[in-house]
Amino acid sequence: MSWQEMLCQKKFYGMCAMLLCGGLSGMMVISSASDMAQVEAGFSPAAAALMVSVLSLFNAGGRASAGILSDKLGRIGTLSLVFPISVAALFAVSIALVGACFGALMGIFPGFTADEFGQRNNTVNYGILFFGFALSGMLGPQVASWVMSGTGSYRSAFLIAAVVALAG
């Protein structure tokens, strides 16, 4: 489909919302991971920096493993696993699982877009669909910052991200 045809499809808006929902928790944690580790878990700055490295490694691993898994379970089947795991990870404050799920989301969506709208215009179509991720990149860090400023803790931010991931 052309990008104009894609924009006329209801599933485009659902997929855009899924990308927003899935990206929000990842962007929230990635943008504030060091501070969250220090404030919520009492980590030293050096240990918190290590957690950022762990997050990055699992993000990369999530991309690769989700690509393999999506070839076996399909894009929707894999995403159906990623969102609930992300919710569970947010409640457990698990940097590694959030990173892996965020990586999985980012690894699946280019192929998912091609599956749903065809490969011919995939670069343009995915670029437009990426608007959902752009919103998550803007909102995720802001939500974390607002919650921290208002409450002195990130705990409510994790709950918000879990609810949004569950909606995804």
PDB file of all heavy atoms in Angstrom, residues 82-114:
ATOM      1  N   VAL A  82       5.290  -9.940  24.488  1.00  0.00           N
ATOM      2  CA  VAL A  82       6.129  -8.819  24.905  1.00  0.00           C
ATOM      3  C   VAL A  82       5.393  -7.878  25.861  1.00  0.00           C
ATOM      4  O   VAL A  82       5.945  -7.478  26.891  1.00  0.00           O
ATOM      5  CB  VAL A  82       6.649  -8.047  23.664  1.00  0.00           C
ATOM      6  CG1 VAL A  82       7.269  -6.722  24.057  1.00  0.00           C
ATOM      7  CG2 VAL A  82       7.651  -8.904  22.909  1.00  0.00           C
ATOM      8  N   PHE A  83       4.167  -7.526  25.546  1.00  0.00           N
ATOM      9  CA  PHE A  83       3.449  -6.570  26.387  1.00  0.00           C
ATOM     10  C   PHE A  83       3.211  -7.099  27.809  1.00  0.00           C
ATOM     11  O   PHE A  83       3.511  -6.401  28.772  1.00  0.00           O
ATOM     12  CB  PHE A  83       2.137  -6.126  25.730  1.00  0.00           C
ATOM     13  CG  PHE A  83       2.333  -5.083  24.657  1.00  0.00           C
ATOM     14  CD1 PHE A  83       2.193  -5.402  23.320  1.00  0.00           C
ATOM     15  CD2 PHE A  83       2.666  -3.781  24.980  1.00  0.00           C
ATOM     16  CE1 PHE A  83       2.377  -4.452  22.334  1.00  0.00           C
ATOM     17  CE2 PHE A  83       2.855  -2.810  24.011  1.00  0.00           C
ATOM     18  CZ  PHE A  83       2.710  -3.144  22.677  1.00  0.00           C
ATOM     19  N   PRO A  84       2.705  -8.318  27.992  1.00  0.00           N
ATOM     20  CA  PRO A  84       2.520  -8.812  29.378  1.00  0.00           C
ATOM     21  C   PRO A  84       3.834  -8.946  30.150  1.00  0.00           C
ATOM     22  O   PRO A  84       3.886  -8.666  31.350  1.00  0.00           O
ATOM     23  CB  PRO A  84       1.855 -10.179  29.206  1.00  0.00           C
ATOM     24  CG  PRO A  84       1.272 -10.170  27.850  1.00  0.00           C
ATOM     25  CD  PRO A  84       2.116  -9.243  27.025  1.00  0.00           C
ATOM     26  N   ILE A  85       4.895  -9.371  29.467  1.00  0.00           N
ATOM     27  CA  ILE A  85       6.188  -9.470  30.153  1.00  0.00           C
ATOM     28  C   ILE A  85       6.656  -8.083  30.575  1.00  0.00           C
ATOM     29  O   ILE A  85       7.188  -7.896  31.671  1.00  0.00           O
ATOM     30  CB  ILE A  85       7.237 -10.169  29.258  1.00  0.00           C
ATOM     31  CG1 ILE A  85       6.875 -11.643  29.068  1.00  0.00           C
ATOM     32  CG2 ILE A  85       8.639 -10.041  29.860  1.00  0.00           C
ATOM     33  CD1 ILE A  85       7.706 -12.347  28.012  1.00  0.00           C
ATOM     34  N   SER A  86       6.438  -7.096  29.718  1.00  0.00           N
ATOM     35  CA  SER A  86       6.813  -5.722  30.051  1.00  0.00           C
ATOM     36  C   SER A  86       6.049  -5.227  31.270  1.00  0.00           C
ATOM     37  O   SER A  86       6.613  -4.571  32.147  1.00  0.00           O
ATOM     38  CB  SER A  86       6.559  -4.801  28.852  1.00  0.00           C
ATOM     39  OG  SER A  86       7.003  -3.504  29.112  1.00  0.00           O
ATOM     40  N   VAL A  87       4.758  -5.547  31.342  1.00  0.00           N
ATOM     41  CA  VAL A  87       3.955  -5.166  32.513  1.00  0.00           C
ATOM     42  C   VAL A  87       4.535  -5.816  33.767  1.00  0.00           C
ATOM     43  O   VAL A  87       4.751  -5.150  34.780  1.00  0.00           O
ATOM     44  CB  VAL A  87       2.471  -5.568  32.330  1.00  0.00           C
ATOM     45  CG1 VAL A  87       1.695  -5.387  33.626  1.00  0.00           C
ATOM     46  CG2 VAL A  87       1.838  -4.741  31.221  1.00  0.00           C
ATOM     47  N   ALA A  88       4.816  -7.107  33.701  1.00  0.00           N
ATOM     48  CA  ALA A  88       5.372  -7.822  34.857  1.00  0.00           C
ATOM     49  C   ALA A  88       6.725  -7.240  35.241  1.00  0.00           C
ATOM     50  O   ALA A  88       7.026  -7.076  36.432  1.00  0.00           O
ATOM     51  CB  ALA A  88       5.494  -9.317  34.555  1.00  0.00           C
ATOM     52  N   ALA A  89       7.536  -6.907  34.257  1.00  0.00           N
ATOM     53  CA  ALA A  89       8.859  -6.358  34.530  1.00  0.00           C
ATOM     54  C   ALA A  89       8.766  -5.005  35.215  1.00  0.00           C
ATOM     55  O   ALA A  89       9.561  -4.693  36.100  1.00  0.00           O
ATOM     56  CB  ALA A  89       9.656  -6.245  33.228  1.00  0.00           C
ATOM     57  N   LEU A  90       7.804  -4.197  34.819  1.00  0.00           N
ATOM     58  CA  LEU A  90       7.658  -2.885  35.436  1.00  0.00           C
ATOM     59  C   LEU A  90       7.265  -3.015  36.904  1.00  0.00           C
ATOM     60  O   LEU A  90       7.724  -2.238  37.744  1.00  0.00           O
ATOM     61  CB  LEU A  90       6.632  -2.040  34.675  1.00  0.00           C
ATOM     62  CG  LEU A  90       7.132  -1.536  33.330  1.00  0.00           C
ATOM     63  CD1 LEU A  90       5.981  -1.069  32.473  1.00  0.00           C
ATOM     64  CD2 LEU A  90       8.136  -0.424  33.529  1.00  0.00           C
ATOM     65  N   PHE A  91       6.434  -3.979  37.221  1.00  0.00           N
ATOM     66  CA  PHE A  91       6.058  -4.164  38.616  1.00  0.00           C
ATOM     67  C   PHE A  91       7.237  -4.674  39.430  1.00  0.00           C
ATOM     68  O   PHE A  91       7.382  -4.357  40.586  1.00  0.00           O
ATOM     69  CB  PHE A  91       4.873  -5.129  38.745  1.00  0.00           C
ATOM     70  CG  PHE A  91       3.563  -4.470  38.477  1.00  0.00           C
ATOM     71  CD1 PHE A  91       2.739  -4.915  37.461  1.00  0.00           C
ATOM     72  CD2 PHE A  91       3.143  -3.392  39.219  1.00  0.00           C
ATOM     73  CE1 PHE A  91       1.528  -4.302  37.203  1.00  0.00           C
ATOM     74  CE2 PHE A  91       1.942  -2.776  38.969  1.00  0.00           C
ATOM     75  CZ  PHE A  91       1.125  -3.233  37.953  1.00  0.00           C
ATOM     76  N   ALA A  92       8.093  -5.462  38.829  1.00  0.00           N
ATOM     77  CA  ALA A  92       9.248  -6.014  39.533  1.00  0.00           C
ATOM     78  C   ALA A  92      10.452  -5.076  39.435  1.00  0.00           C
ATOM     79  O   ALA A  92      11.489  -5.354  40.004  1.00  0.00           O
ATOM     80  CB  ALA A  92       9.614  -7.372  38.938  1.00  0.00           C
ATOM     81  N   VAL A  93      10.298  -3.971  38.724  1.00  0.00           N
ATOM     82  CA  VAL A  93      11.363  -3.002  38.483  1.00  0.00           C
ATOM     83  C   VAL A  93      12.605  -3.703  37.916  1.00  0.00           C
ATOM     84  O   VAL A  93      13.715  -3.523  38.374  1.00  0.00           O
ATOM     85  CB  VAL A  93      11.703  -2.177  39.761  1.00  0.00           C
ATOM     86  CG1 VAL A  93      12.573  -0.989  39.417  1.00  0.00           C
ATOM     87  CG2 VAL A  93      10.454  -1.694  40.472  1.00  0.00           C
ATOM     88  N   SER A  94      12.377  -4.530  36.912  1.00  0.00           N
ATOM     89  CA  SER A  94      13.459  -5.291  36.304  1.00  0.00           C
ATOM     90  C   SER A  94      13.975  -4.581  35.069  1.00  0.00           C
ATOM     91  O   SER A  94      13.350  -4.615  34.017  1.00  0.00           O
ATOM     92  CB  SER A  94      12.974  -6.693  35.954  1.00  0.00           C
ATOM     93  OG  SER A  94      13.968  -7.368  35.240  1.00  0.00           O
ATOM     94  N   ILE A  95      15.124  -3.958  35.211  1.00  0.00           N
ATOM     95  CA  ILE A  95      15.737  -3.234  34.103  1.00  0.00           C
ATOM     96  C   ILE A  95      15.984  -4.160  32.915  1.00  0.00           C
ATOM     97  O   ILE A  95      15.750  -3.796  31.767  1.00  0.00           O
ATOM     98  CB  ILE A  95      17.071  -2.598  34.569  1.00  0.00           C
ATOM     99  CG1 ILE A  95      16.821  -1.520  35.623  1.00  0.00           C
ATOM    100  CG2 ILE A  95      17.869  -2.042  33.412  1.00  0.00           C
ATOM    101  CD1 ILE A  95      16.189  -0.262  35.114  1.00  0.00           C
ATOM    102  N   ALA A  96      16.438  -5.365  33.178  1.00  0.00           N
ATOM    103  CA  ALA A  96      16.780  -6.289  32.094  1.00  0.00           C
ATOM    104  C   ALA A  96      15.563  -6.641  31.255  1.00  0.00           C
ATOM    105  O   ALA A  96      15.616  -6.611  30.018  1.00  0.00           O
ATOM    106  CB  ALA A  96      17.414  -7.549  32.673  1.00  0.00           C
ATOM    107  N   LEU A  97      14.448  -6.976  31.889  1.00  0.00           N
ATOM    108  CA  LEU A  97      13.258  -7.369  31.130  1.00  0.00           C
ATOM    109  C   LEU A  97      12.643  -6.197  30.374  1.00  0.00           C
ATOM    110  O   LEU A  97      12.170  -6.361  29.254  1.00  0.00           O
ATOM    111  CB  LEU A  97      12.216  -8.010  32.047  1.00  0.00           C
ATOM    112  CG  LEU A  97      12.524  -9.434  32.496  1.00  0.00           C
ATOM    113  CD1 LEU A  97      11.454  -9.929  33.475  1.00  0.00           C
ATOM    114  CD2 LEU A  97      12.611 -10.370  31.313  1.00  0.00           C
ATOM    115  N   VAL A  98      12.655  -5.013  30.977  1.00  0.00           N
ATOM    116  CA  VAL A  98      12.134  -3.841  30.274  1.00  0.00           C
ATOM    117  C   VAL A  98      12.986  -3.599  29.034  1.00  0.00           C
ATOM    118  O   VAL A  98      12.468  -3.347  27.945  1.00  0.00           O
ATOM    119  CB  VAL A  98      12.103  -2.596  31.186  1.00  0.00           C
ATOM    120  CG1 VAL A  98      11.795  -1.340  30.376  1.00  0.00           C
ATOM    121  CG2 VAL A  98      11.067  -2.768  32.278  1.00  0.00           C
ATOM    122  N   GLY A  99      14.310  -3.707  29.181  1.00  0.00           N
ATOM    123  CA  GLY A  99      15.199  -3.519  28.037  1.00  0.00           C
ATOM    124  C   GLY A  99      14.945  -4.546  26.949  1.00  0.00           C
ATOM    125  O   GLY A  99      14.885  -4.215  25.768  1.00  0.00           O
ATOM    126  N   ALA A 100      14.782  -5.817  27.335  1.00  0.00           N
ATOM    127  CA  ALA A 100      14.540  -6.881  26.354  1.00  0.00           C
ATOM    128  C   ALA A 100      13.212  -6.672  25.635  1.00  0.00           C
ATOM    129  O   ALA A 100      13.127  -6.835  24.410  1.00  0.00           O
ATOM    130  CB  ALA A 100      14.574  -8.249  27.030  1.00  0.00           C
ATOM    131  N   CYS A 101      12.178  -6.318  26.374  1.00  0.00           N
ATOM    132  CA  CYS A 101      10.864  -6.100  25.749  1.00  0.00           C
ATOM    133  C   CYS A 101      10.871  -4.874  24.847  1.00  0.00           C
ATOM    134  O   CYS A 101      10.271  -4.886  23.772  1.00  0.00           O
ATOM    135  CB  CYS A 101       9.785  -5.984  26.819  1.00  0.00           C
ATOM    136  SG  CYS A 101       9.442  -7.551  27.639  1.00  0.00           S
ATOM    137  N   PHE A 102      11.565  -3.832  25.278  1.00  0.00           N
ATOM    138  CA  PHE A 102      11.664  -2.638  24.444  1.00  0.00           C
ATOM    139  C   PHE A 102      12.409  -2.981  23.155  1.00  0.00           C
ATOM    140  O   PHE A 102      12.001  -2.594  22.061  1.00  0.00           O
ATOM    141  CB  PHE A 102      12.375  -1.520  25.205  1.00  0.00           C
ATOM    142  CG  PHE A 102      12.507  -0.248  24.433  1.00  0.00           C
ATOM    143  CD1 PHE A 102      11.392   0.525  24.160  1.00  0.00           C
ATOM    144  CD2 PHE A 102      13.738   0.187  23.980  1.00  0.00           C
ATOM    145  CE1 PHE A 102      11.497   1.710  23.450  1.00  0.00           C
ATOM    146  CE2 PHE A 102      13.864   1.367  23.269  1.00  0.00           C
ATOM    147  CZ  PHE A 102      12.742   2.129  23.006  1.00  0.00           C
ATOM    148  N   GLY A 103      13.497  -3.730  23.283  1.00  0.00           N
ATOM    149  CA  GLY A 103      14.232  -4.158  22.096  1.00  0.00           C
ATOM    150  C   GLY A 103      13.387  -5.031  21.190  1.00  0.00           C
ATOM    151  O   GLY A 103      13.433  -4.908  19.960  1.00  0.00           O
ATOM    152  N   ALA A 104      12.591  -5.919  21.791  1.00  0.00           N
ATOM    153  CA  ALA A 104      11.714  -6.783  21.008  1.00  0.00           C
ATOM    154  C   ALA A 104      10.713  -5.961  20.217  1.00  0.00           C
ATOM    155  O   ALA A 104      10.471  -6.214  19.029  1.00  0.00           O
ATOM    156  CB  ALA A 104      10.989  -7.767  21.927  1.00  0.00           C
ATOM    157  N   LEU A 105      10.140  -4.982  20.861  1.00  0.00           N
ATOM    158  CA  LEU A 105       9.172  -4.107  20.197  1.00  0.00           C
ATOM    159  C   LEU A 105       9.808  -3.439  18.984  1.00  0.00           C
ATOM    160  O   LEU A 105       9.246  -3.438  17.893  1.00  0.00           O
ATOM    161  CB  LEU A 105       8.673  -3.050  21.201  1.00  0.00           C
ATOM    162  CG  LEU A 105       7.669  -2.053  20.687  1.00  0.00           C
ATOM    163  CD1 LEU A 105       6.278  -2.675  20.714  1.00  0.00           C
ATOM    164  CD2 LEU A 105       7.698  -0.801  21.537  1.00  0.00           C
ATOM    165  N   MET A 106      11.005  -2.906  19.183  1.00  0.00           N
ATOM    166  CA  MET A 106      11.669  -2.198  18.104  1.00  0.00           C
ATOM    167  C   MET A 106      12.134  -3.151  16.997  1.00  0.00           C
ATOM    168  O   MET A 106      12.223  -2.763  15.842  1.00  0.00           O
ATOM    169  CB  MET A 106      12.869  -1.400  18.654  1.00  0.00           C
ATOM    170  CG  MET A 106      12.462  -0.333  19.666  1.00  0.00           C
ATOM    171  SD  MET A 106      11.097   0.725  19.129  1.00  0.00           S
ATOM    172  CE  MET A 106      11.816   1.509  17.718  1.00  0.00           C
ATOM    173  N   GLY A 107      12.411  -4.393  17.347  1.00  0.00           N
ATOM    174  CA  GLY A 107      12.822  -5.370  16.351  1.00  0.00           C
ATOM    175  C   GLY A 107      11.675  -5.919  15.518  1.00  0.00           C
ATOM    176  O   GLY A 107      11.867  -6.326  14.372  1.00  0.00           O
ATOM    177  N   ILE A 108      10.483  -5.952  16.077  1.00  0.00           N
ATOM    178  CA  ILE A 108       9.332  -6.551  15.400  1.00  0.00           C
ATOM    179  C   ILE A 108       8.600  -5.572  14.484  1.00  0.00           C
ATOM    180  O   ILE A 108       8.119  -5.948  13.420  1.00  0.00           O
ATOM    181  CB  ILE A 108       8.348  -7.127  16.438  1.00  0.00           C
ATOM    182  CG1 ILE A 108       8.977  -8.339  17.121  1.00  0.00           C
ATOM    183  CG2 ILE A 108       7.020  -7.517  15.804  1.00  0.00           C
ATOM    184  CD1 ILE A 108       8.189  -8.838  18.311  1.00  0.00           C
ATOM    185  N   PHE A 109       8.500  -4.321  14.876  1.00  0.00           N
ATOM    186  CA  PHE A 109       7.617  -3.402  14.166  1.00  0.00           C
ATOM    187  C   PHE A 109       7.967  -3.130  12.708  1.00  0.00           C
ATOM    188  O   PHE A 109       7.049  -2.975  11.882  1.00  0.00           O
ATOM    189  CB  PHE A 109       7.426  -2.105  14.950  1.00  0.00           C
ATOM    190  CG  PHE A 109       6.107  -2.077  15.638  1.00  0.00           C
ATOM    191  CD1 PHE A 109       5.959  -2.629  16.896  1.00  0.00           C
ATOM    192  CD2 PHE A 109       4.990  -1.550  15.026  1.00  0.00           C
ATOM    193  CE1 PHE A 109       4.736  -2.642  17.533  1.00  0.00           C
ATOM    194  CE2 PHE A 109       3.753  -1.549  15.648  1.00  0.00           C
ATOM    195  CZ  PHE A 109       3.624  -2.099  16.903  1.00  0.00           C
ATOM    196  N   PRO A 110       9.223  -3.074  12.281  1.00  0.00           N
ATOM    197  CA  PRO A 110       9.454  -2.886  10.836  1.00  0.00           C
ATOM    198  C   PRO A 110       8.871  -4.031  10.004  1.00  0.00           C
ATOM    199  O   PRO A 110       8.205  -3.795   8.995  1.00  0.00           O
ATOM    200  CB  PRO A 110      10.986  -2.828  10.731  1.00  0.00           C
ATOM    201  CG  PRO A 110      11.434  -2.345  12.066  1.00  0.00           C
ATOM    202  CD  PRO A 110      10.478  -2.965  13.051  1.00  0.00           C
ATOM    203  N   GLY A 111       9.088  -5.268  10.440  1.00  0.00           N
ATOM    204  CA  GLY A 111       8.514  -6.412   9.727  1.00  0.00           C
ATOM    205  C   GLY A 111       7.009  -6.466   9.838  1.00  0.00           C
ATOM    206  O   GLY A 111       6.313  -6.850   8.896  1.00  0.00           O
ATOM    207  N   PHE A 112       6.485  -6.113  11.008  1.00  0.00           N
ATOM    208  CA  PHE A 112       5.041  -6.090  11.234  1.00  0.00           C
ATOM    209  C   PHE A 112       4.388  -5.102  10.267  1.00  0.00           C
ATOM    210  O   PHE A 112       3.337  -5.376   9.679  1.00  0.00           O
ATOM    211  CB  PHE A 112       4.781  -5.719  12.690  1.00  0.00           C
ATOM    212  CG  PHE A 112       3.351  -5.811  13.150  1.00  0.00           C
ATOM    213  CD1 PHE A 112       2.443  -6.701  12.604  1.00  0.00           C
ATOM    214  CD2 PHE A 112       2.920  -4.998  14.190  1.00  0.00           C
ATOM    215  CE1 PHE A 112       1.136  -6.781  13.058  1.00  0.00           C
ATOM    216  CE2 PHE A 112       1.615  -5.067  14.662  1.00  0.00           C
ATOM    217  CZ  PHE A 112       0.720  -5.956  14.090  1.00  0.00           C
ATOM    218  N   THR A 113       5.011  -3.957  10.080  1.00  0.00           N
ATOM    219  CA  THR A 113       4.494  -2.956   9.150  1.00  0.00           C
ATOM    220  C   THR A 113       4.475  -3.516   7.725  1.00  0.00           C
ATOM    221  O   THR A 113       3.481  -3.358   7.001  1.00  0.00           O
ATOM    222  CB  THR A 113       5.347  -1.671   9.212  1.00  0.00           C
ATOM    223  OG1 THR A 113       5.378  -1.206  10.565  1.00  0.00           O
ATOM    224  CG2 THR A 113       4.785  -0.578   8.321  1.00  0.00           C
ATOM    225  N   ALA A 114       5.553  -4.190   7.337  1.00  0.00           N
ATOM    226  CA  ALA A 114       5.606  -4.787   5.993  1.00  0.00           C
ATOM    227  C   ALA A 114       4.559  -5.883   5.845  1.00  0.00           C
ATOM    228  O   ALA A 114       3.916  -5.996   4.795  1.00  0.00           O
ATOM    229  CB  ALA A 114       6.996  -5.351   5.721  1.00  0.00           C
TER     230      ALA A 114
END
